[in-house]
Amino acid sequence: DEAVRAGEDARSKLQEARGSRGRVRVHAATTGLGLPAAYAVGAANSASSSAPMTPDLLLAAATGAARQGEDGALEEALKVAARMRDYFRRLGDAKKEASALMTVCSTQLLLGNLEPAAIAAKRARMLYSEESDAGGRGEAMRLQLEVHCRRGEFRPALQTAERAGAAFREAGDKL
């Protein structure tokens, strides 16, 4: 199965990327994938075990590694997230595809690649909209806002911030 092969490959890459910095630390930020924090930590821990990683856990581990800035992990997280995006697209799971796109966007932003980040955030926003997920839509717009700010596009940034705020309020978040 392609996902298991991708998981095994990513596991070895994540182990290499850790180097002397210790274990990959995955934190509660991965709950956007619909995983409890303890489950996400288990994903990182399974990177050193022999059990196969599921696509959800693989994406959570890659996301955590990228967010922690582990050496070499950004490029690897980008590859893993792109593979998982394709995997979830083939399964027809739009929310998980959008989660993978959010990881692609965040990683591209960390790498300073604004155009691919903008494309990923826009696609994630569209998927969350199609799924009527206002919170996800707001998070995607938050990333679009970051792209606008980094480009010096302040008028579109303000408009995006207003739309993101409306989406978060629609989702019931107290701003």
Side-chain angles (χ1 to χ4, degrees):
D1 170 40
E2 181 183 344
V4 172
R5 280 192 309 275
E8 297 303 321
D9 181 48
R11 175 183 304 147
S12 66
K13 299 280 188 195
L14 286 170
Q15 286 172 330
E16 291 169 20
R18 281 190 213 131
S20 62
R21 296 180 116 192
R23 302 183 119 189
V24 174
R25 294 176 304 272
V26 182
H27 52 78
T30 57
T31 57
L33 299 171
L35 301 171
Y39 208 58
V41 170
N45 290 339
S46 74
S48 62
S49 73
S50 60
M53 293 178 74
T54 66
D56 290 332
L57 294 178
L58 176 59
L59 184 57
T63 302
R67 289 187 178 171
Q68 292 298 321
E70 297 288 336
D71 290 335
L74 292 176
E75 291 81 6
E76 189 56 35
L78 187 58
K79 290 177 193 172
V80 170
R83 286 162 108 178
M84 293 301 96
R85 175 202 60 216
D86 294 341
Y87 176 79
F88 290 127
R89 181 184 306 142
R90 284 192 306 274
L91 285 181
D93 191 330
K95 283 190 178 183
K96 288 183 181 172
E97 179 185 349
S99 290
L101 283 162
M102 297 288 282
T103 300
V104 167
C105 178
S106 297
T107 307
Q108 292 286 17
L109 284 169
L110 289 169
L111 290 167
N113 302 328
L114 300 182
E115 188 58 29
I119 292 167
K122 181 178 181 179
R123 178 72 180 137
R125 188 195 76 223
M126 290 175 10
L127 288 169
Y128 282 129
S129 291
E130 290 169 8
E131 294 295 310
S132 301
D133 184 336
R137 194 173 71 244
E139 285 297 327
M141 283 189 277
R142 183 188 57 74
L143 290 174
Q144 288 182 301
L145 170 64
E146 186 171 344
V147 170
H148 286 309
C149 287
R150 288 191 187 188
R151 288 177 171 167
E153 302 168 346
F154 300 114
R155 185 174 306 262
L158 180 59
Q159 293 167 342
T160 301
E162 290 170 352
R163 287 194 314 268
F168 287 127
R169 283 188 293 279
E170 181 185 332
D173 288 353
K174 299 202 188 291
L175 300 178

